[in-house]
Amino acid sequence: MKSRILIIGACGQIGTELTIALRNRFGADKVVASDIREGNEELMSEGHFELLDATDFAAVEDVIFRYKIDTVYLMAAMLSAIAERFPAKAWHLNMTTLFHILNLAKDKKVKKVFWPSSIAVFGETTPSENTPQLTVMEPSTVYGISKQTGERWCEYYHKKYGVDVRSIRYPGLISYTTEPGGGTTDYAVDIYHRALKHGNYRCFLQEGTVLPMMYMEDAIRATINIMDAPKKDVKIRSSYNLGGVSFAPEDVAQSIQKVIPAFEIEYEPDFRQAIADSWPGSIDDSEARKDWGWEHKFDLDAITKIMLDNLKLQYS
Ligand code: SER
């Protein structure tokens, strides 16, 4: 019987923690981690690991066949800031991998798919406070366009071919295990590293730039919860809004100053400011709460404490 899980992009910021969470839950033998590059030691040694280029259909199909995979988490993607530098490459990676997995699900080679979307699907014309699930969506970044398009295809494959694909629009994610790779919200992770190493931070976003954010443990729980939910409860097959906390760089600075009073922040916005300005400040996630019981746990001060405590251990 097929019963294994494949994580594509397992060495990335989300993939690393998702792999560990799924191994803890289902047992190491049931989870296959894969990535185009090698990742941290623990991830590679404590269970199945495959080097995999997810744009290569035959290679993906082979792993799915060999390990008897029935569920895929497709976490490989090029994030917002990097994608602006390599638009064609980002489009190719973000879309080709999704089509490969959707087509394998359509052909019944896998049963269930998780694919992450993002707050980047929204744009300047979207209402920015408490952004509703259904609203104007005119993304202005390559990454946002790829995620919005992906959402349309997920819903299409569900309605047309019955593919069981589930998705969440992640906000900016904060974690200490693996660093983020080229997003606009990365400052909210970098700032903790710099606070401990140098006592100061030069932020690439301007004061007052409020963005929706979330601690990784909340994001992982949301991911596992939506995948656990009975099929009939997952009513939205594009992607669910997901809210956690909302803050601006100066709010993180103040939160850090409660622990490290001498910490200083200065602002030097770059091209990422325009990306951040096009995204909402806060998210209405009532559909996720209603349909599959979503609830966030961590507020900013709790996140700050966890980040500083754990990074301190890593640096010492
Ligand atoms: N964290 C992502 C980024 O900044 C948003 O999904 O690109």
Side-chain angles (χ1 to χ4, degrees):
M1 204 185 77
K2 294 182 98 185
S3 65
R4 279 207 186 98
I5 294 167
L6 173 65
I7 300 151
I8 296 175
C11 298
Q13 192 200 8
I14 308 174
T16 301
E17 299 204 26
L18 182 63
T19 302
I20 294 167
L22 291 171
R23 279 179 182 163
N24 286 342
R25 170 134 187 233
F26 296 105
D29 182 54
K30 293 283 183 208
V31 178
V32 181
S34 74
D35 205 296
I36 196 156
R37 61 187 168 94
E38 300 197 330
N40 80 36
E41 192 78 354
E42 180 193 344
L43 187 113
M44 290 172 43
S45 63
E46 292 188 355
H48 304 286
F49 180 81
E50 289 280 329
L51 278 177
L52 179 65
D53 173 0
T55 63
D56 179 344
F57 183 84
V60 176
E61 195 180 29
D62 174 61
V63 169
I64 285 172
F65 176 74
R66 271 194 290 123
Y67 285 98
K68 301 186 166 48
I69 301 294
D70 75 353
T71 301
V72 176
Y73 291 77
L74 173 53
M75 312 311 284
M78 203 184 282
L79 294 187
S80 60
I82 302 249
E84 290 305 296
R85 298 210 172 108
F86 307 102
K89 231 171 147 178
W91 180 258
H92 176 64
L93 174 68
N94 295 0
M95 301 315 300
T96 308
T97 53
L98 176 60
F99 275 117
H100 286 351
I101 300 303
L102 288 178
N103 284 327
L104 286 161
K106 176 185 160 204
D107 292 344
K108 314 255 178 289
K109 292 185 174 150
V110 291
K111 273 212 284 242
K112 223 193 227 181
V113 176
F114 179 83
W115 175 79
S117 186
S118 158
I119 51 165
V121 294
F122 300 118
E124 266 159 43
T125 50
T126 303
S128 78
E129 289 319 308
N130 223 16
T131 300
Q133 175 71 38
L134 291 176
T135 187
V136 178
M137 288 162 93
E138 294 186 311
S140 53
T141 62
V142 174
Y143 176 66
I145 296 169
S146 76
K147 288 295 179 188
Q148 197 208 24
T149 310
E151 286 192 7
R152 297 289 85 225
W153 280 113
C154 286
E155 191 184 273
Y156 184 89
Y157 269 70
H158 176 73
K159 285 193 172 152
K160 190 102 182 173
Y161 309 119
V163 167
D164 189 1
V165 54
R166 304 169 181 213
S167 177
I168 282 168
R169 292 171 181 153
Y170 289 126
L173 298 180
I174 302 169
S175 63
Y176 60 86
T177 310
T178 314
E179 289 190 38
T184 303
T185 56
D186 293 13
Y187 90 84
V189 176
D190 299 344
I191 194 169
Y192 292 107
H193 287 267
R194 291 281 314 194
L196 285 169
K197 277 201 286 193
H198 305 279
N200 58 46
Y201 183 62
R202 185 174 296 161
C203 187
F204 59 76
L205 295 183
Q206 191 57 266
E207 208 175 344
T209 312
V210 179
L211 287 170
M213 299 275 185
M214 182 175 287
Y215 182 56
M216 186 62 83
E217 192 180 310
D218 272 341
I220 298 294
R221 191 160 30 78
T223 309
I224 292 178
N225 284 355
I226 193 178
M227 289 299 272
D228 274 352
K231 229 182 202 172
K232 63 170 186 14
D233 292 349
V234 186
K235 299 198 172 79
I236 293 171
R237 294 299 182 145
S238 50
S239 190
Y240 277 91
N241 272 10
L242 197 71
V245 280
S246 279
F247 55 73
E250 66 271 22
D251 300 321
V252 197
Q254 281 161 19
S255 179
I256 293 174
Q257 280 157 355
K258 291 181 193 164
V259 186
I260 308 172
F263 175 72
E264 280 177 8
I265 184 165
E266 54 182 329
Y267 302 94
E268 198 176 279
D270 65 14
F271 72 101
R272 289 169 279 194
Q273 185 64 45
I275 302 178
D277 287 343
S278 77
W279 291 352
S282 60
I283 299 289
D284 174 359
D285 58 8
S286 45
E287 300 295 326
R289 290 176 187 269
K290 186 166 64 144
D291 289 356
W292 43 272
W294 161 245
E295 239 176 318
H296 92 278
K297 266 197 204 152
F298 297 87
D299 65 13
L300 178 55
D301 285 340
I303 296 172
T304 297
K305 183 171 174 2
I306 299 173
M307 289 297 287
L308 293 177
D309 286 352
N310 285 283
L311 290 177
K312 218 180 277 172
L313 287 177
Q314 281 178 23
Y315 284 127
S316 63

